[in-house]
Amino acid sequence: MRKSLTLLPVLLALLGGVRPGWCAEQQLDAYNTYLSPPFLNPDGSGIAADLVARLNAHLEGAYRLRLRHVPRQRLMLAGMRNPAGFDGVGLLLTPAFVNDDTRPRFLWSEPVFHDYNVLVFAATAVPQLESVDDLRGLRFGAIIGYRYLNLERLLADGGLRRQDTGAERLNLRKVALGRVDFTQMNRLLYSAIESESEFAGKLAAIPEPGAPPFARRLFVGPHRKELLARLNAALAALPCDQAWRASATRHHIALAPCAR
């Protein structure tokens, strides 16, 4: 009889839809907006999947992230429209990429890693650039919903003719065929795509002049301070995580040294 009474609170909690504290793991969606290699490979693997797996390993059972792949425009127009109702985790972005830099609406983590962008031209038509002003008059292959910080002034005054598509590979195809003069993309994506047979020997990339490296971060809703603290603690453990270091080595990502 005593044993039954001991189990009663647990049974009542389960029947009432409340999970006892010892299994109170909160499931959250983690949104990746990079839909090309090496962030998302055809088999579902990639940097985003590696990151979510290692974060889950260090969240200590308090939260579990479920990876979701969505176009950035959809995330911005739907999930991010109401910051107070956003209960997921955004992956591998920086505030300016989602218009959250001047008046932040979300909470942003410590850096996951630092990265930079490149400009991609046809291999036979790479200009000598001293600044982005030297791009004036060219046709620019862009992505719907993407913000191009270093090119905003030229885009605003009509100095660049922007042509949008829905994917980086489509823009590379247009560059290779001469339908646009150049595109801009993350150096990780370019490195993963440039050697494909369709593009091999047809393209060339140069660092974007005047554009400093940027930090890729995670973000959460403004009401999720405790979640952000947990994520920052998990990120602090990643430099010593051998699986994450192996992923970073595969993708030529520089990590801080392990502090142990």
Side-chain angles (χ1 to χ4, degrees):
M1 183 66 179
R2 184 175 299 172
K3 185 175 181 181
S4 298
L5 290 174
T6 302
L7 291 175
L8 186 59
V10 174
L11 293 172
L12 289 174
L14 291 173
L15 290 172
V18 179
R19 303 178 71 192
W22 45 263
C23 60
E25 180 182 81
Q26 186 175 352
Q27 300 278 334
L28 297 171
D29 288 334
Y31 299 103
N32 167 51
T33 64
Y34 291 95
L35 308 183
S36 298
F39 295 91
L40 172 61
N41 297 322
D43 64 359
S45 65
I47 293 173
D50 290 349
L51 176 61
V52 166
R54 301 325 301 157
L55 289 174
N56 279 336
H58 294 284
L59 284 171
E60 300 178 346
Y63 301 96
R64 175 154 292 273
L65 305 182
R66 299 171 297 200
L67 182 58
R68 298 286 186 263
H69 303 290
V70 297
R72 190 175 305 174
Q73 185 78 342
R74 185 187 304 169
L75 180 64
M76 293 177 66
L77 292 178
M80 296 179 65
R81 179 166 288 183
N82 175 23
F86 184 78
D87 279 323
V89 178
L91 301 177
L92 296 169
L93 293 168
T94 202
F97 289 2
V98 287
N99 302 324
D100 205 50
D101 48 337
T102 55
R103 298 179 62 185
R105 302 169 300 149
F106 295 87
L107 302 177
W108 291 83
S109 76
E110 295 298 318
V112 183
F113 60 86
H114 288 81
D115 211 346
Y116 62 91
N117 292 321
V118 294
L119 303 181
V120 184
F121 299 86
T124 57
V126 182
Q128 295 294 318
L129 300 180
E130 294 185 4
S131 74
V132 293
D133 285 321
D134 295 328
L135 298 168
R136 189 172 293 276
L138 298 184
R139 298 166 298 171
F140 171 47
I143 300 289
I144 296 169
Y146 277 35
R147 183 179 175 189
Y148 298 91
L149 302 180
N150 202 35
L151 305 176
E152 282 186 336
R153 180 173 52 82
L154 285 176
L155 291 166
D157 69 16
L160 286 178
R161 290 172 282 169
R162 176 171 177 158
Q163 298 182 22
D164 282 345
T165 68
E168 289 84 356
R169 185 174 270 100
L170 294 178
N171 281 329
L172 292 180
R173 199 167 288 151
K174 291 175 74 172
V175 171
L177 294 173
R179 294 176 182 169
V180 295
D181 297 304
F182 77 101
T183 188
Q184 182 234 57
M185 63 192 309
N186 173 258
R187 57 99 185 178
L188 293 169
L189 284 109
Y190 178 72
S191 296
I193 296 174
E194 65 168 328
S195 60
E196 294 179 4
S197 58
E198 180 180 3
F199 303 115
K202 299 178 182 178
L203 303 170
I206 61 174
E208 184 176 357
F214 57 88
R216 293 194 177 277
R217 303 175 186 268
L218 313 175
F219 71 85
V220 300
H223 55 299
R224 301 306 302 259
K225 292 182 180 180
E226 195 274 340
L227 170 59
L228 182 67
R230 293 272 189 164
L231 289 169
N232 278 330
L235 289 175
L238 291 188
C240 296
D241 184 304
Q242 292 304 310
W244 179 242
R245 294 201 72 87
S247 178
T249 298
R250 284 197 305 274
H251 298 109
H252 305 288
I253 295 169
L255 296 181
C258 176
R260 285 179 188 164

